[in-house]
Amino acid sequence: MAYITSQQGNVPWNLLELHGERTVFGRHPSSQIVLDNEAVSRHHAQILESHGHFFLEDLKSRNGTLVNGRPVDQPTELRDKDSITLCDFEFHFHEQEPDSPPATTFHRPEPAESDTDSDTDNSRYFAVGVEPIDDASTSSSIVSKLSMVSIGREQVVADPEAKLQAVLEISKSLGQVLELDEVLTRVLDGLFEIFPQADEGFVLLNEPSSTTPVIRATRSRSESGDRTPSISLTIVREAMQSGEAILSADVMGDNRFLGSQSIAGMQLRSMICAPLMGQDGQSLGVIQLSSRDVRLPFEESDLDVLIGVATQGALAIENAALHAKVLRQRDLDRELEFATQVQLGFLPNKRPEAAGLDFCDYYEAANRVGGDYFDYVELPGGRVAVAIADVAGKGIPAALLMARLYSATRYHLLSQPDLGLALSDLNRDISTSGLGHRFITCVLAVVDPAAGHVAVANAGHLPPLIRHADGSITEFISQHPGMPLGIVPDQEFRQQEHPLTPGDTWLMFTDGITEAMNADSEIFGTQRLKQSLSGAPAELDAMILSIVSDVEAHCGERDQSDDMCLTAFRCMDSTA
């Protein structure tokens, strides 16, 4: 068995017993012997054991490592009583335990049986209580001396100052990341630096799609990094439901968990578990660290540290979730903006120019995109088709079906001379399109100035209104009503003709007009629409805007819940 001693100034010299194949000196908390001095590199040097021989290797440190005053530029075998110098720290190597009793002895624990296959011993020894010394002969830029402290539970771990510094480093690190996976990784990495006795750790988070918390991050000291952590939902639920952190120095003998079959099979010895509490007081999940070595239990001060890290971690997790939500919303807004532009591209960008006829329209979606549709299609012989439809539902699904309706309606109007046949073909097209169980109400009107009539075919849509020159209103009720498109594939529709009288104004609209509600949930209704149409100005654009104004006045402050669409045409002279 080999030993390292240290004796500087009037500080009692100390003895460290070496175990394992590797002992690292450095400033980083993950080192086995932590030297709290800025002149020391994060991982400065290491002692390697091979078949009973010990070698000192410098790990490309900033200020170098000396053996008996000579620089170490390659692995150098250590001999009995060799001196080892790292900046202002001096140690002596001993092949046997020195005869003189040390003031303070460190007995480094043997690895647990479950870890005998691992080449890494994660015990740590911290050099603390550093004080300045005056030594003009040293070339180091930092002057200090070593004072080692032993913890009385047969392990040497970070002192409170080192733990606090590590917690602050974790907090600083978490403030620099917004991705959830990176947040959780940094939390576990930081905890494993603080707690050398931790064999494994994990973070569980609540997920909307799961009834139980889901593993989002794991960390293990075993060589097989893909090892599944030992998780007991008994412990997890206790922490999440109570909102309190749990410490168990001996899980197997803990009365709180004697009834848990999962714990019995895990061979856990000591664990600490802290809930991740959101700002609303609800549990987001848990962080848990566990040790399988009964000689290295967690204690009360460790739980306090974990609670502090969990508090910072919960805040970082919520920030990451908000960041992800903002990114998703930004992407959705971009997609909706593009969809809005695409949908507006399907709607007419100009009105038909036909002798003796005037046209007007209005469209407003309840959401960024909607399912209401209207179109003008110029047909041979000077005829003009006016189409208006309402796809069941609203938003993106309805808008996608509206896009399909746009192209199909134009095709069938242009390919069929009879309006009833065109609507029948359109129904079969929509019914067999595989677009889901959505129906569409639709009304088609073909205005024929030469023949002096209007042909109408209706598929379950609200009947058009006709305002005559004297201001009276007639509701055009079809003698051949049909069901909405997309319900019965083989349904046949028939057209009905009506005289095109000079001065008559035809108004076609969707139910977003008649079903608009006020604060008392009272709909605008067909009767109010008739009154609004009758009292509206004679000029067609002003007439449409007046109707929309009446609807908005009825709704008041209540938000629009459905798409609104109106289209109108008028016969202007007696030559029609």
Side-chain angles (χ1 to χ4, degrees), residues 192-218:
F192 267 55
E193 290 184 3
I194 297 174
F195 300 113
Q197 69 269 49
D199 291 315
E200 62 185 25
F202 59 81
V203 178
L204 269 65
L205 295 181
N206 286 326
E207 296 285 351
S209 59
S210 176
T211 57
T212 58
V214 176
I215 299 176
R216 291 302 304 267
T218 63

Side-chain angles (χ1 to χ4, degrees), residues 450-472:
H453 67 252
V454 179
V456 179
N458 196 324
H461 198 81
L462 296 169
L465 297 179
I466 305 172
R467 170 175 149 164
H468 303 290
D470 60 0
S472 61

Side-chain angles (χ1 to χ4, degrees), residues 69 156 163 528:
V156 182
K163 286 183 177 180
R528 283 192 178 88

Side-chain angles (χ1 to χ4, degrees), residues 352-359 382 384 447-450 500-504 540 569-576:
E353 296 180 0
L357 296 176
D358 192 14
F359 296 85
V384 178
V447 186
D448 190 344
L500 183 61
T501 305
D504 281 358
L540 204 55
F569 61 88
R570 174 185 295 165
C571 179
M572 302 295 295
D573 57 58
S574 59
T575 61

